[in-house]
Structure formats: structure tokens, C-alpha cells
Amino acid sequence: MKKDISFYHCEELDAALKLLAEDNNLKPIAGGTDLMVEMRNDENFQENISGLLDITALEELQGITVKENHINIGALVTHQEIVNSEVLQEKYSALVAAAAAIGSTQIRNRGTIGGNVCNAAACADTLGPLIAFEADALLESYAGERVVPAADLVTRPYQTVIRDDELLKCFRLPLPAADTFSNFQKIGRRQALAITRISLALVAQIADGMVKQVKVVPGSTTPVPEPFAGVEARIRDRKIADLKPAEIAAAASEEMVSITGERWSTPYKKPALETLVTRALVQLKEVADNE
Amino acid sequence: MPEKKQVNKSKKRVDARAKVTGKAKFGADLKFHNMLYGQVVRTEYPHAKIININKSKAEEYPGVEVVMTAEDIPNNLFGVIIENQQVLAEDRVLYIGDGVAMLAARSKKAAREAAKLIEVEYEELPGVYGVEEARQADSPVVMPGEENNQVIHHPLRKGDVSEGLTEADIVMERKYTTQFVEHAYIEPEAVTVVPEERNTLVTVYGAVQNPNATRDAVANVLDCDLSKVRIIQDNMGGSFGGKDENISAMACRAAVMALATNKPVQLVNSREESIIESYKRHPYTMNYKIGAKDDGELVAMEIEAVADSGAYACQTPFVTWRSVVQATGPYEVPNVKTDTYGFYTNSPYTGAMRGYGSPPVIFAQESMMDELAAELDLTPAEIRRKNMFKNNSRTASNQKLDNHEVSLTEVMDKALSAIDYHDKYEKYNQPQDSTIKRGIGFAISYRGVSLGAEAIDAAGAIVSVQKDGSIILYSGLAENGQGLKTVFSQIAAEELGVSLERITHMETDTSVSPESGSTVASRSTLVGGSAVKKAAENIKTVIAEFVAEEYDYSGKIIYRDDALYTKEGERIVAFPELAATAFHNGVFLSSYGWYKAPGISWDEETGQGRPYFTYVYGCQAAEVEVDTGTGEVKVVNMSAAHDVGKAINPANVRGQIYGGAVMALGHALMEDLGFSKGFIKHTNFDEYLIPTVKDAPENIEAIIVENPDPAGPYGAKSIGEPAMELGGAAINNAIAQATGRRLRDLPLNLERVLLGRNLSKED
């Protein structure tokens, strides 16, 4: 028989962190769109935890706030709030596109960016754009706060560096430079409620017809979304007019195979990833041409 | 003809209010005093010997009232056609959904937990997966007592196919395959069995598609009289042909446990249980050889279509029979040799699903017509017009189509013009710059209406006028969500000239409703609707006699606006007053109506005869956008023209067309159970993908074509299945135009569309 577990609801961050410090077997729950499914599917889920901690009332984890040099996105911000945010639409369109592509209306209304990242599925759509925008994760525990780059947050599928006594408070995204191009694409097996087959987040800072800085983060291609350094090197500090999308795309698929090896899905993922990389770069060139 | 007031009108569904307000009760909503909750323990292997079952721990679990295995079941085998489906597996499990034990407990939780304590010892056996293996001479035999794995073989021979192929200028041979498909009704199976209720041995409530088939199964398993088993249907959250044998198995299990405990027992499947246990659409492997003249004239077709029957015979003999009749499509072919087969395997058993034996063969044959056209440098429209049936054409079975309008030209013209097919076809044949390419394709079909030579084809209804003029209607055919109650109520209302509100259409109840066969084969409107009409006509005969006596009028009575009128338009009496007066004069205003379909014939050896008494015709076209860089397909527009004879409820007909088109889209593009050696990996809707509203085409132009049929009520025929059998071929043809590459295997997923082949973890 399934073990009974406790359900805690905290109104204040301190109280929540204190609970987490005292009981290292509590599982935070926010939107529950992943967790509830896992609880139903995993016979032993309740065996392995002492209780659930409802964090939805914690103010410090809520809202999108614009600071002088960065923007904070609270862990409890829902995908729909991201989609609706004018400031995010203006400055982080790839993140907005990723949030808009998640699940369904119902999932986007409940699911949070914090949950999407903390669940740490290889197909989590928002992590790629967060890495590409060089976001930091602010983790808080009763003992104090620490900052971890989004790129270092997930160590392997369904595993993060977040300790049992910590909560993800928010993501801190540096304000992008004025001429920043960003692109997010996703392939699924249907138009909604589809687990991502492949996604791509590409963020490039443009100046004087050159790419000054670039991040290329494919999703669902590697165990954990990670920047493709080899591809980035072929784009960074180059003249945009000289970029050859097809060649760079081919390098991206090679880089994917160098990380994962040849798998059953590789014959599909190689050309499909090449398509996404090519399209992102063609769009980058068009945008640069128009400026 | 006076204008119709009730039929041929888009009346609101009579069950809509209850359903949208949540008042409608479904199988799992029912509660009875002292009710127990059942749980079935299913096999861990697709094919294994059961060595031992230890139920003692489960029996001791608090709240458990009974734990049972096959040996506790009076008669363990049932089946609509061949009785070889096990209620619970006896000594061998044949597929991954077979139950091996069951129990009933006082709470759901206790039932679930106790089920885990049943210890089953298996000896895993090598399984047979796929028909290629099943038909090998040295294949292990799946079904105990059989000599090989063949369930059925239907031959059809017309003319001389070898000679025909010799005469051909071109001979093409192609192989097509289709996949297992889940019905994906939104409501998982649910039944409740109440023992010794109101003079019966057992009463079964639940999501029962075919109450009489379930009654047969339960009476057979309990070894009791049919009159002692009463099936009362609840509202259905979808069926699509899928709540027949699986529901019967559940009803049998619950009935055995209810009698053992003398308490009501409820069995409700979770989605995972439903997908693992329920029967699927047959996957087909089809080889088509077509011979044609240079001008496109078909001279010969040689077809072999092999269906995977899975672990049980279930509906395979009839499903493959429909395939043999329709395999050549709606074309005149002088020389035909068709063989359809079903084979047992250790995969899930396969049975009825919307379309029955036609969607796979239509997918193959309508894809092939496009391939042939391309080879002969003809357009898809040209090759079809050249060969398709007209009035008085002869089918592959040599049936002369002379008793109804053969409307292929009309449905094709209307569907193609609605989607602007010809211009788009020319346009998309030109080189397209973008990697996202468009294509357009279509398919046509003819479909035999109702059961054909499968079984006796008759149905009944009771129309009962109460003394206040309200009317109770019982039908032997069942409302499965398709709109039957509305259509039947409209027919009764039309005949008696009353408003729809006067009519209460009761649930099908096997102890009251006349046994009418199964609610299948898109037969309800024609066969059941005719029975309702007949019952109303019988009552009108009685009324006419009574009116002559009581109101001194013996001319033709006009029934309209809840009153009776003379043919001159003079009002005789209001309907409620007539009902009251008749009652007080001892006149009986209730009647059974019975309708028996026109005669048919079939020669089992040659496949020649009159397999169906009439046919419907349809054409569906699809316009797609294919991302040739990712393999994604979006169906942007569809059009569908169907000759339904006469639409009793046009809104409902359009609803059937929209639903059918989207269902076909799912089968064509995405549905996949994730099979791995008899195991099903995709057991819920996060992995077993069906179309969402965003996958539906932006526009589906539904066109109702009406050529009244002499056999149908007001000329009505069918729409439920015709609406879903064409879409797959139309979409495949559109993708072929967009990509320039012909695919022959379903589903047309990302990998197939991008690479031309499927990828799987297994390879």
C-alpha cells in the first residue's frame, strides 16, 4: 500500500526554507504538471519522499521584475505569464517562443518555468533559451543564497545541482545588448501536447555586420541541453554575410553525434537539426541585412 | 411531397442538455448499495504458460470478498463469431492484455493493493509477432486446438486475372502496410453488474456498445437463459466500434464475481488498462498488382490483404470479409483475384473499429491509383473518371449497381471543387522554392451499407404513445454517441406530426428493446430508422380506424404541428386529445416496428453475388503542407462530399464528417502503440498521440450529397464509417505530391516523411 505523506503549505519563504532544512526529503510542488503525472506513474514515488511542500504562495518566487541590468523571472512564473509579458516578448523572444510551444493552454496556465527546469527532462523547452540568454539561477536555502549558471544547473536527465534544502528562487537574465537576435524552433509529433523531438535556441549579438557573441543550444538532442561550442566558434566574431548556414548546420549535427554517439534516432535527428540550424542562421542573415 | 418538419433538419441533439450540464450518468458514475470494486490481474508476458497462481495473500487482504481465476468461471469462452476468447486465461496467456485473475473488494484501494499480492508463476514462451511469421508453415500455433494460425480466408474470383494481366500495357505491383490503431474513446470501459435484481440473475449497466452481444456473452459464460441477463446501456463516452468484446469480457468477469459475493460489482479500466487490454484496428499487409491499358483502363487486379487478428478471432472473419468486397475500390475491373486473410498472433486481438475492413484497403488501393496515374502520365482525376462505377456498373463481386444512384461523379466533382483541387493540383506540380511544400490529394470510395452477408440484417423499435400524447421510444440499436436517439426521435416525430419534445428515447434495455443485432456497420439510420418509421406507421393505421369511428373522417390524415388534419387542412383533433380519447376508448396506440433489410447473396468460394443491398459513395480531398526539412506534416484543408441518401439531421452528418476526417488524419500521421515484441509501450495519451484541435485542418468543407435510396427511411443511408475511411489515402496522396516521394506505410510520421523509412529502437 502506498505510504501516506505529509502535505505542507507555506506562506513565507523563511518558513519553507526552514522546513526544507529540517527535512531533506520534501519535494516542492508548484504547478504540478510534471509532478502529478510522476506520482501517478511511479509506484514508489511516495516511498521515496516524506512529503510535498506547496510553494505556490511564496511571493519571492513570483513575478517578472525588470532591474537595471537584468530581469528576474521568478520560479513560479507560469509559461502563460512568460507568453503574455511585453518585456520578455521584446527582449527574450526565443524564451517566449519556447514557453508558447509548451503543452496546451491548460499546461501553460499551471506549469512554471521553475518546474520545467527543475524537472530537468532532456526535452524541457525553456532551459535551452535560458542557457542561450546566459541566465543565472538563484538558489536559496536557510543557510543562504548561491548563484549557478543555467548552463550548469542540470547534470543529467532528471538531475540538477539543486540541493534538497534549496529552492530555486528565480532566473536572472542579463539584459541583452541592443542588437540581439534570438530564435527558437521546435519539432514535435503533433501541434500541441507533444514531447519535443528536437528544439533549437540561438541567441546572437550583432554589431557592425559581425556576430559578437553567440549561443547555440539544441534541445532533446543531448542528455542535457548544452551550448554547442564548436558551432558557436564557427559563428562568433565572423561577418554575418560570410556565414554559410549549411556548413555550420552540418557541423552542428556532427557535434551532436560526437556527444551522443550514433543512436537509433540519429538518422532522423541529424538532418532535422541541420534544418533548424540552417533556418536560424538564414533568419539571422535576413535580420542583419535589414539593419 | 409536403415539406418535412422534423427530418432533414438540423435539430438539436436530444441528449445534448444532459451531457453538457453534467447530468448524464456514465458507467463509472453508478453506485449501488454494498457495491464492490473489481480489479483484474493481467499477464506480465505476451505469451506464457501459467504454472501456478497463488491467491491466498490477496484473499486475506482486508476488504477483499472474492479472488477468482479461470477455474471459477462456469464457461470460460465467448465470442461473437468464433467462441475462443478467454474470460480469464486458463493455462496459457496469449497476449499482453489477457487477465489471469480477478478480485472484488469493498474499496478501490483494497482492490488495487490486494491485486498486487496475487502471485503468478509463468513460463515465458516464444511469441508470434506479425503475420509474416504467423503464416509460416513452421510457426508456433497461437490458438490452442488449431492446426495453424489462419483465422479466415476469403477468396474472390472474377474473370481471369492472368489473362487480364497479359492484356495489360502496364503491370504495377506495390506493397502497403497499416498499423494497429487504438479507438481512443474518451471514456475508458466501465460496467457494473447487480445480482438477482428485479427477477433477473444479473443486470449489467455500463458502457456497452452492443447490448445484445454482451448479453449473449454473459448468458453463455454463466450458462443461463438470455431472459435472466438484462443489459441496460448507460451514456457512452465514445465507442467507435471499440466497446464490444472487451466490454463483454468485463461484464462476464463482474457477473461471475457478483454472483459469487451476492453483491454488485463494478469494473472500471484505467486508461493504461484500457489501452493494454482492449482490441485494436487490424494492421494490414497488402500486395496489389494492377494491370492497365495505356489509356488508364483497368484490366486486372490481383490483391492479397493479410490482417493481423492478434490473440483471438474476434471480428476478424467479418472485418476481412468487408475488405474482400471493397478491395478493388469503386472501379470496374473485368478480371479480379482477391484473397483476404486473418492470422492469429500474440499481439493484442483486433476487432471492429470505425471503417471495419475498409480503411486499410482504401489506403492501399487509392494510393495505388495515384501511382498508376503518375506512371501513365494521367492525372489522379482522369484515371478515376476513366474507371469508376456509374449506374449499372458491375462490381468485383459482379453485382449490378442498378437499384440506387451511383453518385461518384457528383461526390468527386463537389469535393474537388470545394477545395479548388484542380488549380491547386496544377500549382503544386510546379517547382516550389521553399523547403515547406504544399500538395493536394484525394480518394474516392464506395461502401456497402449495413452488415451485408455477415449476418441477418433486421432491427426493431417500440413506439408507445401515452395517454397524454407523450411518446416513449425503445430501440434495439444503441446510442453510442453518434446521434442515434436524435435521429430516431426525429423520424418518430415526423411520422406522428409531433414536436421532438414529446418524445423520450429510452436507454437500450435488452429485456424490453427488440433484439436488433449490433450497433455497427453504419446501419442504424437505415435499418433501425426504418423500424421506428414502421412502428409509427402501424400506430397511424390504428389511429386512422379510430378517427373514422370517433371523428367521422376516413380520408387521408395529415399529421403536423401536434395535431391531426384532414387532407383539406381542416383540424380534426390535437394529438394529446387524440391520445387521451383513444386510451379511454380502449384503443392501443403502441407498436413494435420491425424492418428486415433487402435480400443479399454471397458465394464463399468465388466471392460473387450481391454482398450488400446498397452502397454509399464518397470523396475526400486533403491539402497538406510538408516541411521537407523536418518531416512535419500539417493538413491545412480538407473537403469531403458524401452521398448519404438523405440527411435526417444535416448538422449531425456534418459532425460525423468532421470527426471522421480528423480521426483518419490521426491514423495517417501519428497513431502508434509503440509495439515491442508483443508489449505496448504507449499506454496513455501522452505517448499514444491522437490529433489535438491544433492538428485538425483549419477548414473541413463538409458537403452532403442526397440521392435518396429506395431502401432507407426518407431515402437515408449512412455516414459514420464512410466519413473516416478515405482521409488516410487522400493525405498520403497529398504528401506524395508535395514531396515527390511515395510512402506506402502508416503512420506517415516525422521519420518516414523526412527519410522515407521508419526508425525504431528495435532495429
Side-chain angles (χ1 to χ4, degrees):
Chain A
M1 166 121 43
K2 277 189 185 170
K3 186 184 78 173
D4 286 338
I5 55 167
S6 307
F7 187 89
Y8 298 93
H9 173 84
C10 286
E11 301 274 333
E12 279 168 23
L13 181 59
D14 263 6
L17 294 174
K18 192 148 185 269
L19 267 175
L20 286 170
E22 286 163 1
D23 180 347
N24 63 8
N25 225 359
L26 282 180
K27 187 96 180 164
I29 180 166
T33 55
D34 284 318
L35 199 66
M36 299 292 285
V37 177
E38 200 187 333
M39 285 183 73
R40 182 175 177 277
N41 286 347
D42 181 0
E43 232 355 81
N44 298 316
F45 186 88
Q46 282 166 233
E47 283 305 312
N48 299 331
I49 62 168
S50 59
L52 290 173
L53 172 61
D54 173 13
I55 58 171
T56 50
L58 303 179
E59 264 179 49
E60 291 85 343
L61 275 60
Q62 291 167 356
I64 298 162
T65 37
V66 184
K67 307 280 184 181
E68 199 175 332
N69 297 315
H70 63 268
I71 282 183
N72 282 348
I73 303 177
L76 291 174
V77 169
T78 64
H79 305 306
Q80 196 56 45
E81 286 178 86
I82 291 174
V83 172
N84 294 345
S85 161
E86 281 178 26
V87 60
L88 296 184
Q89 287 168 17
E90 184 196 332
K91 296 191 188 308
Y92 306 94
S93 63
L95 179 64
V96 173
I102 288 174
S104 61
T105 305
Q106 296 90 327
I107 300 277
R108 288 191 295 274
N109 280 337
R110 278 205 73 83
T112 64
I113 188 167
N116 190 236
V117 172
C118 291
N119 184 53
C123 57
D125 283 323
T126 56
L127 184 56
L130 286 170
I131 295 171
F133 283 115
E134 301 189 82
D136 285 325
L138 271 60
L139 308 179
E140 192 148 339
S141 68
Y142 203 62
E145 191 182 83
R146 66 177 175 132
V147 178
V148 175
D152 299 336
L153 205 55
V154 178
T155 52
R156 58 189 165 89
Y158 306 103
Q159 194 69 54
T160 70
V161 299
I162 303 169
R163 297 194 311 261
D164 292 334
D165 67 333
E166 283 179 324
L167 280 178
L168 169 66
K169 196 166 133 187
C170 68
F171 288 104
R172 189 168 66 194
L173 284 70
L175 283 178
D179 275 339
T180 296
F181 165 87
S182 85
N183 173 281
F184 177 84
Q185 300 168 75
K186 162 178 172 167
I187 303 171
R189 292 197 183 275
R190 64 179 169 191
Q191 305 289 323
L193 288 164
I195 293 162
T196 302
R197 284 301 284 151
I198 307 187
S199 67
L200 178 74
L202 185 148
V203 176
Q205 190 187 321
I206 309 169
D208 309 324
M210 304 271 290
V211 179
K212 303 309 284 181
Q213 186 51 266
V214 67
K215 285 283 170 191
V216 179
V217 190
S220 286
T221 49
T222 51
V224 169
E226 57 180 286
F228 276 24
V231 175
E232 290 170 0
R234 287 167 175 266
I235 304 172
R236 190 181 300 116
D237 294 329
R238 307 279 172 123
K239 267 185 155 165
I240 293 173
D242 293 344
L243 293 178
K244 295 198 168 57
E247 277 176 28
I248 297 168
S253 71
E254 288 308 322
E255 191 161 352
M256 173 184 75
V257 177
S258 76
I259 297 166
T260 62
E262 287 281 343
R263 306 176 50 169
W264 70 273
S265 57
T266 306
Y268 172 77
K269 289 197 170 177
K270 272 181 75 168
L273 178 61
E274 286 175 21
T275 296
L276 299 192
V277 172
T278 303
R279 285 180 184 163
L281 292 172
V282 167
Q283 203 188 344
L284 168 66
K285 288 164 83 87
E286 283 169 8
V287 168
D289 277 351
N290 291 337
E291 276 174 7
Chain B
M1 274 289 251
E3 206 215 330
K4 298 277 180 278
K5 296 267 186 180
Q6 298 293 344
V7 302
N8 213 218
K9 299 265 186 276
S10 291
K11 296 285 176 185
K12 212 182 285 174
R13 282 180 67 128
V14 297
D15 48 354
R17 175 168 284 276
K19 283 177 176 168
V20 299
T21 55
K23 283 183 185 149
K25 291 275 182 288
F26 291 82
D29 293 330
L30 302 188
K31 293 284 172 280
F32 292 87
H33 181 62
N34 273 340
M35 186 176 86
L36 304 177
Y37 297 87
Q39 178 67 49
V40 174
V41 176
R42 293 183 185 79
T43 170
E44 291 164 37
Y45 305 98
H47 192 203
K49 219 163 120 181
I50 301 170
I51 305 296
N52 186 44
I53 301 175
N54 182 354
K55 44 185 197 177
S56 57
K57 284 184 190 160
E59 282 167 335
E60 286 158 20
Y61 194 89
V64 170
E65 302 230 345
V66 70
V67 184
M68 303 181 103
T69 61
E71 64 182 27
D72 304 310
I73 296 173
N75 179 4
N76 195 38
L77 294 179
F78 73 99
V80 171
I81 305 168
I82 300 172
E83 285 181 7
N84 66 10
Q85 183 168 342
Q86 310 180 94
V87 178
L88 290 175
E90 285 177 46
D91 48 6
R92 195 144 68 92
V93 295
L94 302 179
Y95 84 108
I96 195 63
D98 259 337
V100 294
M102 61 185 181
L103 58 81
R106 287 196 286 274
S107 74
K108 281 185 200 172
K109 203 169 170 182
R112 258 198 320 268
E113 294 303 322
K116 292 179 202 158
L117 302 176
I118 296 178
E119 295 160 343
V120 187
E121 198 184 322
Y122 299 96
E123 180 191 322
E124 203 182 346
L125 299 170
V128 178
Y129 306 110
V131 292
E132 302 288 338
E133 192 188 339
R135 64 194 306 194
Q136 300 294 323
D138 58 349
S139 170
V141 174
V142 172
M143 178 56 63
E146 295 288 333
E147 283 175 9
N148 58 46
N149 290 320
Q150 186 174 303
V151 180
I152 192 79
H153 169 214
H154 296 293
L156 182 151
R157 303 287 182 267
K158 181 191 184 190
D160 183 333
V161 84
S162 338
E163 205 166 289
L165 289 169
T166 325
E167 285 166 20
D169 295 321
I170 177 174
V171 175
M172 282 180 77
E173 216 174 332
R174 294 288 183 271
K175 181 182 173 183
Y176 302 87
T177 66
T178 61
Q179 80 277 38
F180 282 96
V181 175
E182 160 67 24
H183 300 77
Y185 26 76
I186 199 69
E187 175 211 21
E189 301 83 353
V191 292
T192 310
V193 176
V194 183
E196 316 263 358
E197 188 190 46
R198 297 170 203 234
N199 305 327
T200 68
L201 185 60
V202 287
T203 304
V204 180
Y205 299 87
V208 184
Q209 178 189 320
N210 296 321
N212 283 106
T214 293
R215 185 177 69 158
D216 287 349
V218 172
N220 188 44
V221 165
L222 298 181
D223 200 14
C224 70
D225 289 348
L226 291 174
S227 60
K228 290 296 172 194
V229 177
R230 182 180 185 186
I231 316 281
I232 300 175
Q233 194 203 32
D234 292 313
N235 284 296
M236 301 277 282
S239 181
F240 310 108
K243 286 176 176 167
D244 194 341
E245 286 84 352
N246 50 344
I247 284 288
S248 290
M250 288 172 73
C252 293
R253 291 166 184 168
V256 170
M257 292 195 287
L259 289 177
T261 57
N262 201 25
K263 288 178 182 171
V265 174
Q266 186 167 80
L267 268 175
V268 179
N269 274 346
S270 68
R271 179 62 61 187
E272 285 82 359
E273 289 178 305
S274 172
I275 290 187
I276 288 170
E277 177 166 348
S278 71
Y279 56 88
K280 313 293 178 223
R281 182 190 291 294
H282 293 70
Y284 271 63
T285 302
M286 296 161 287
N287 282 296
Y288 270 71
K289 194 176 195 178
I290 295 191
K293 294 285 191 188
D294 280 332
D295 65 358
E297 185 194 343
L298 298 172
V299 289
M301 277 201 209
E302 188 174 348
I303 300 162
E304 187 192 72
V306 184
D308 189 334
S309 184
Y312 298 115
C314 192
Q315 302 271 327
T316 298
F318 292 169
V319 169
T320 51
W321 181 76
R322 185 172 279 276
S323 307
V324 85
V325 176
Q326 294 178 205
T328 45
Y331 304 108
E332 292 194 45
V333 191
N335 304 292
V336 182
K337 175 177 183 281
T338 304
D339 293 278
T340 64
Y341 298 89
F343 285 96
Y344 292 111
T345 67
N346 293 112
S347 292
Y349 71 115
T350 45
M353 182 170 185
R354 192 180 190 181
Y356 218 55
S358 76
V361 294
I362 291 174
F363 168 71
Q365 159 264 313
E366 282 296 276
S367 295
M368 183 116 189
M369 287 304 278
D370 268 32
E371 293 201 60
L372 180 64
E375 205 65 36
L376 293 171
D377 208 18
L378 296 169
T379 67
E382 282 165 352
I383 198 152
R384 287 176 175 80
R385 286 193 203 287
K386 177 110 198 150
N387 294 289
M388 67 197 191
F389 293 150
K390 301 161 203 63
N391 283 337
N392 299 313
S393 285
R394 286 191 176 269
T395 67
S397 300
N398 212 24
Q399 177 174 4
K400 194 171 177 192
L401 301 172
D402 58 1
N403 65 343
H404 62 277
E405 182 67 21
V406 179
S407 53
L408 281 165
T409 303
E410 186 179 359
V411 292
M412 195 168 130
D413 286 348
K414 287 184 170 165
L416 297 189
S417 110
I419 200 170
D420 200 7
Y421 171 83
H422 295 288
D423 285 353
K424 286 176 180 167
Y425 177 76
E426 290 305 323
K427 190 172 156 201
Y428 302 150
N429 261 351
Q430 306 304 313
Q432 300 182 46
D433 290 340
S434 168
T435 48
I436 294 170
K437 299 186 193 300
R438 287 214 171 191
I440 193 161
F442 73 97
I444 60 174
S445 75
Y446 85 125
R447 180 183 186 86
V449 175
S450 200
L451 300 173
E454 287 170 20
I456 292 300
D457 202 353
I462 300 170
V463 174
S464 176
V465 179
Q466 309 301 298
K467 65 187 178 202
D468 61 355
S470 63
I471 294 166
I472 293 172
L473 208 170
Y474 271 100
S475 153
L477 297 175
E479 170 73 62
N480 292 327
Q482 77 278 44
L484 173 145
K485 283 183 181 174
T486 307
V487 164
F488 285 7
S489 298
Q490 282 179 266
I491 291 173
E494 179 69 41
E495 287 305 309
L496 296 171
V498 299
S499 56
L500 220 42
E501 291 69 32
R502 280 196 191 282
I503 297 174
T504 299
H505 196 309
M506 301 301 288
E507 267 53 59
T508 299
D509 175 340
T510 53
S511 293
V512 180
S513 317
E515 172 157 9
S516 304
S518 287
T519 306
V520 296
S522 304
R523 66 192 282 261
S524 296
T525 299
L526 195 156
V527 182
S530 295
V532 172
K533 190 161 179 272
K534 189 76 195 336
E537 283 165 359
N538 293 343
I539 292 169
K540 289 201 289 189
T541 306
V542 176
I543 289 176
E545 285 170 21
F546 179 62
V547 164
E549 248 173 56
E550 180 77 17
Y551 302 98
D552 205 20
Y553 171 75
S554 49
K556 183 181 162 56
I557 301 169
I558 309 296
Y559 293 81
R560 65 174 163 86
D561 305 329
D562 292 286
L564 281 64
Y565 293 83
T566 66
K567 59 178 182 292
E568 289 79 24
E570 209 173 306
R571 186 179 156 115
I572 303 167
V573 60
F575 192 84
E577 191 190 327
L578 169 89
T581 316
F583 177 80
H584 292 298
N585 281 282
V587 176
F588 183 55
L589 291 188
S590 295
S591 178
Y592 276 86
W594 187 253
Y595 176 84
K596 183 168 179 289
I600 45 165
S601 64
W602 183 252
D603 183 321
E604 290 285 348
E605 303 294 318
T606 61
Q608 301 293 285
R610 252 178 89 76
Y612 296 98
F613 57 84
T614 192
Y615 293 84
V616 290
Y617 302 90
C619 175
Q620 291 193 357
E623 181 180 4
V624 302
E625 198 170 78
V626 182
D627 188 330
T628 58
T630 64
E632 290 166 291
V633 175
K634 172 93 182 123
V635 181
V636 287
N637 287 304
M638 285 184 82
S639 65
H642 291 275
D643 188 345
V644 298
K646 179 65 79 180
I648 303 296
N649 188 316
N652 208 23
V653 169
R654 281 192 293 273
Q656 287 285 343
I657 293 175
Y658 301 140
V662 175
M663 197 168 196
L665 183 156
H667 297 188
L669 297 182
M670 61 187 80
E671 298 193 30
D672 175 8
L673 283 153
F675 273 105
S676 171
K677 303 244 175 276
F679 289 91
I680 298 174
K681 285 184 287 182
H682 302 162
T683 57
N684 207 329
F685 292 140
D686 54 341
E687 293 179 299
Y688 185 82
L689 304 186
I690 59 173
T692 69
V693 69
K694 285 186 156 188
D695 298 280
E698 286 148 34
N699 183 34
I700 302 174
E701 198 66 47
I703 302 150
I704 299 172
V705 174
E706 295 181 317
N707 290 294
D709 193 281
Y714 315 99
K717 296 198 266 195
S718 37
I719 188 60
E721 294 173 281
M724 86 71 53
E725 64 184 6
L726 288 158
I731 290 168
N732 192 37
N733 289 339
I735 291 173
Q737 194 197 20
T739 61
R741 175 161 59 199
R742 169 61 55 175
L743 296 171
R744 302 189 184 90
D745 305 289
L746 294 183
L748 306 164
N749 57 23
L750 295 172
E751 292 81 0
R752 286 201 173 100
V753 174
L754 185 64
L755 307 172
R757 67 192 161 99
N758 200 28
L759 299 177
S760 136
K761 270 183 193 163
E762 305 297 308
D763 300 333

